[in-house]
Amino acid sequence: MSRQNGLNKLQSYGQRVFSREGLALKRVSWFGRVWVPLAGVAVLSSLFPAVASAGGSASNAQTSQDSQVISQVGSISAFPSGPSIAVASTGGTTYSAAASVARTVNRSLSPRPSALQRVSASVLAVPAVIPIAVSTASGAAVTFSGINDYQQRFVASGGNQFTVTPPDQGLCVGNGYIMEIVNDTVQIFDTSGNAKSPPVGTNAFYGYPYEINRTTGALAPEEPTDPNCYYDPQTGRWFNVVLTLQVDPTTGLLTGADHLDIAASTSSSPLGGWVFYHIPVQDDGTQGTPHHKSCPCIGDFPHIGADQFGFYITTNEYPFGTGPGKFGNNYNGAQLYAMSKMKLAANATKLRITHIGGRTLGTVPSFTLWPDEVPGTAFDTANGGTEWFVQSTATLETLNTTGMSNTIGVWSLTNTSSLNSPKPNISLQGVTLTSEVYGVPPTSEQKAGPVPLRDCLLTGCLTGIGPSSGEVESGFDSSDSRILTDWLAGGKLYAALGTIVNVNGRYQAGVAHFEINTASTISAVTIASQGYVAVAGNITYPSIATLANGVGAMAVTLVGPSYFPSAAYMKVGSAGPTGSVIVAKGGLGPDDEFCGYLFYNCGNTTTPSIRPRWGDYGAAQVDGTNVWVASEFIGQTCTINTYKVDPTCGATRAIIGNWDTQISRIP
């Protein structure tokens, strides 16, 4: 069937993309402007200067906070052990099995530059970086395949799943186990790479119905996304967090409600029991939430961290509709949710959640406040317990219209020990630090190779796939300069983001890293060292973890004209990444997924456009004396002739996607 019949309509609501192949489905379009500047950019330029203010000025302590008590909503006695655990939906609509519908998740307001041209003029020059070497001889002590797109679509929950891109890499390691959670599948391994569970759908793990019942076409009322995973050595417990969007299973419409789902293990083994909690985050005054401007809203891009006393989740809040939000740009700032880690680990029947939202660094809105994690139990216990967060300031969310910046923000949450009391009294303070220049990176180009989905689209070789002229192999998204990692070791924060760099006269994607000295007062925080990493190609989605001595690794994706998308890493020392980029697992073919093609209109535009995806983040963790990394890569390849006979290419890919993940232990 053709797009004119309405069977390929894109719906957008934040950073994951999924395709409901086999459905004719209409949804409310939450976020139509995903890759392009807001219509109000001209207004924003008059409200905010081209470059964020520099210096080391600290904001005043911002202590106003909301509090809510939530209860356990369910439990399981053991991790699901089979592929068909979820209970099928009983209601809903049966849809045509001919075409595909795609939607995007995880909102990003900033436009992307190209390899040849910047998006806008700026007084800040793109940093010129000398490329470093790439080593294709993996030094990983252990490396093995994690979850892939075929397993996510056809194995988890008995195949009653959507095709999802990107995976959003979640990883936690401890007590001899590895838990991997991606969009929308979770699996447990031992530290030798042996599977200790089958791939299980995230819906099944959280006790929800199938994402889609492939027999009846019925939809689940819940759609989880943006997975995170954390093992806490102090309590010996495992924690998972996802953002879940509520759906009317009869109409297929999003209801406007969404919640952060927390899973906490009942023992030191992830194969044992789990209990579940929901934190409503629509912030429209319903279900105990505060009433924020232009809400109901989505609590997008959740990430987690912990200190000795607390467990923390941060999100970026965007109105569902086109309202201005708090900052006039359809954005309400970062939101922080804090709770007692000890009570969470004890599986308390009720938890008090303290919510701080919409803070600013001067006039700069908070954005992607990435919480710190630590090696072992090396928490910051100063000031009654301290959790640290780092943010960037180059995106439209921060009212920066140039896509370039030379400042970062550092935040401290203090008196976290009070989270164990009936009336928590925590304090969030931030400081703006002058930094090296960085900016929104361009799309990452990739090595040319077999792209059977593209070839099939050109000719309409399978029912519901094409025909569509003008399709070409695309690159993929390199993120938008948001902070993607924050690790605390030895009194120093290790943070990194994706940035535009100039390598031999060509704009491409690289990494900017920052090593930040913490202090007992926020105004005394300083940048100890900083730098860039670039290669003859692109590196994207950095994630850092170190041992207590600051020695560790940074996971990245390596891709470029000479590289298929590959899982790679760098060693990390006290001054940040060092040495060459090392390939843990080389890519075997190009990224060949539906959002890279006009037919699926993942750009959500009147004239079909692409929005090829990757990431949206990597992962790095430690386990005693070991550092572990995980990244998305492409671990398969096949020709159009093979694809036409078997579009899974021997159970190595989904029909309209082909990502893989790789997990490695770095000596």
Side-chain angles (χ1 to χ4, degrees):
M1 294 186 181
S2 69
R3 293 189 301 277
Q4 287 73 20
N5 288 336
L7 298 178
N8 292 288
K9 181 175 177 57
L10 177 91
Q11 303 297 339
S12 161
Y13 59 84
Q15 228 157 352
R16 182 186 61 162
V17 179
F18 59 87
S19 177
R20 302 170 176 275
E21 75 277 13
L23 294 183
L25 176 68
K26 293 192 70 175
R27 289 286 181 105
V28 174
S29 179
W30 288 9
F31 301 116
R33 296 183 297 273
V34 181
W35 256 26
V36 296
L38 291 178
V41 161
V43 175
L44 294 181
S45 352
S46 68
L47 296 176
F48 192 73
V51 182
S53 59
S57 59
S59 70
N60 294 327
Q62 302 174 52
T63 58
S64 61
Q65 47 201 246
D66 299 298
S67 182
Q68 181 182 10
V69 175
I70 62 171
S71 301
Q72 274 190 31
V73 295
S75 65
I76 54 176
S77 60
F79 187 84
S81 59
S84 302
I85 303 301
V87 178
S89 300
T90 56
T93 306
T94 301
Y95 299 97
S96 164
S100 299
V101 175
R103 299 195 309 172
T104 60
V105 181
N106 182 351
R107 188 153 183 205
S108 173
L109 300 182
S110 294
R112 306 313 198 245
S114 73
L116 301 176
Q117 186 176 16
R118 293 168 62 182
V119 170
S120 61
S122 171
V123 298
L124 298 176
V126 173
V129 182
I130 298 173
I132 63 173
V134 173
S135 172
T136 56
S138 173
V142 174
T143 187
F144 61 92
S145 297
I147 300 165
N148 63 37
D149 209 0
Y150 174 83
Q151 293 170 323
Q152 187 277 323
R153 166 60 183 86
F154 291 104
V155 178
S157 291
N160 293 287
Q161 296 262 102
F162 301 128
T163 295
V164 181
T165 188
D168 292 358
Q169 183 71 64
L171 182 78
C172 46
V173 186
N175 198 31
Y177 294 102
I178 296 172
M179 174 172 272
E180 182 182 24
I181 182 168
V182 298
N183 286 327
D184 276 328
T185 303
V186 58
Q187 188 170 15
I188 297 169
F189 304 88
D190 65 24
T191 51
S192 296
N194 301 305
K196 307 304 289 186
S197 79
V200 173
T202 308
N203 278 50
F205 174 64
Y206 277 93
Y208 296 139
Y210 294 134
E211 286 188 333
I212 172 177
N213 185 310
R214 290 286 172 177
T215 301
T216 67
L219 306 177
E222 299 88 8
E223 291 177 355
T225 185
D226 289 351
N228 290 260
C229 185
Y230 178 77
Y231 173 74
D232 183 55
Q234 181 186 11
T235 61
R237 293 296 181 265
W238 302 76
F239 305 118
N240 280 290
V241 171
V242 295
L243 169 67
T244 295
L245 305 158
Q246 289 297 134
V247 176
D248 183 329
T250 301
T251 64
L253 296 176
L254 299 164
T255 68
D258 55 309
H259 41 88
L260 297 171
D261 291 0
I262 305 172
S265 71
T266 61
S267 73
S268 59
S269 170
L271 295 170
W274 293 77
V275 298
F276 305 104
Y277 306 85
H278 294 170
I279 305 175
V281 294
Q282 60 267 21
D283 288 349
D284 60 354
T286 63
Q287 294 184 299
T289 63
H291 197 289
H292 290 176
K293 190 167 184 178
S294 304
C295 286
C297 292
I298 183 173
D300 190 44
F301 206 69
H303 280 86
I304 59 178
D307 68 0
Q308 180 175 345
F309 306 106
F311 183 76
Y312 311 100
I313 310 172
T314 61
T315 67
N316 295 323
E317 185 170 283
Y318 302 88
F320 285 172
T322 58
K326 178 175 181 177
F327 298 108
N329 59 349
N330 196 234
Y331 179 61
N332 280 342
Q335 312 294 311
L336 165 62
Y337 301 87
M339 68 207 75
S340 167
K341 184 179 73 175
M342 292 303 176
K343 293 180 181 178
L344 179 63
N347 308 144
T349 56
K350 294 183 182 295
L351 290 174
R352 180 169 295 279
I353 309 298
T354 302
H355 175 193
I356 302 175
R359 300 302 188 234
T360 61
L361 289 167
T363 59
V364 178
S366 51
F367 172 64
T368 308
L369 301 188
W370 200 290
D372 79 65
E373 296 183 44
V374 304
T377 59
F379 305 114
D380 188 341
T381 57
N383 295 311
T386 301
E387 177 73 8
W388 294 91
F389 309 81
V390 183
Q391 77 161 87
S392 64
T393 60
T395 66
L396 282 175
E397 284 87 346
T398 63
L399 302 180
N400 186 333
T401 61
T402 71
M404 300 292 297
S405 182
N406 63 350
T407 67
I408 60 171
V410 179
W411 298 80
S412 66
L413 184 73
T414 55
N415 198 31
T416 60
S417 58
S418 70
L419 291 168
N420 289 323
S421 71
K423 295 183 178 180
N425 183 27
I426 53 180
S427 177
L428 181 66
Q429 301 181 63
V431 64
T432 302
L433 302 177
T434 302
S435 72
E436 63 192 7
V437 174
Y438 61 91
V440 179
T443 297
S444 289
E445 56 188 334
Q446 58 177 338
K447 182 178 179 179
V451 279
L453 175 58
R454 188 283 308 264
D455 296 341
C456 187
L457 283 167
L458 290 174
T459 62
C461 77
L462 297 175
T463 302
I465 299 181
S468 178
S469 62
E471 304 286 6
V472 298
E473 179 185 323
S474 70
F476 52 71
D477 189 45
S478 309
S479 192
D480 60 358
S481 81
R482 69 184 64 195
I483 291 289
L484 292 170
T485 183
D486 179 15
W487 189 267
L488 174 64
K492 189 180 293 184
L493 296 170
Y494 295 79
L497 51 80
T499 181
I500 186 172
V501 292
N502 181 337
V503 176
N504 298 323
R506 185 176 181 83
Y507 296 136
Q508 60 184 58
V511 169
H513 61 88
F514 311 91
E515 293 74 49
I516 304 162
N517 289 324
T518 61
S520 58
T521 60
I522 193 67
S523 59
V525 171
T526 59
I527 294 178
S529 58
Q530 56 190 333
Y532 304 101
V533 179
V535 299
N538 304 278
I539 55 171
T540 62
Y541 298 99
S543 186
I544 295 173
T546 77
L547 304 176
N549 60 4
V551 174
M554 178 175 77
V556 293
T557 292
L558 168 69
V559 62
S562 301
Y563 304 103
F564 294 127
S566 302
Y569 67 95
M570 291 183 69
K571 294 294 185 70
V572 170
S574 60
T578 184
S580 60
V581 172
I582 304 168
V583 177
K585 186 69 172 180
L588 299 180
D591 180 39
D592 181 40
E593 51 96 356
F594 60 97
C595 272
Y597 300 115
L598 298 170
F599 182 73
Y600 297 99
N601 192 21
C602 286
N604 196 26
T605 49
T606 303
T607 301
S609 61
I610 64 173
R611 192 194 176 197
R613 304 309 314 282
W614 197 260
D616 282 318
Y617 38 88
Q621 292 290 335
V622 297
D623 174 20
T625 59
N626 302 310
V627 179
W628 294 84
V629 296
S631 297
E632 181 181 7
F633 82 112
I634 301 299
Q636 67 86 227
T637 185
C638 73
T639 66
I640 182 60
N641 289 334
T642 299
Y643 181 87
K644 285 191 290 187
V645 176
D646 171 14
T648 72
C649 298
T652 63
R653 61 169 293 158
I655 297 171
I656 57 173
N658 68 328
W659 54 259
D660 296 80
T661 63
Q662 189 74 12
I663 302 170
S664 303
R665 177 166 65 85
I666 310 304

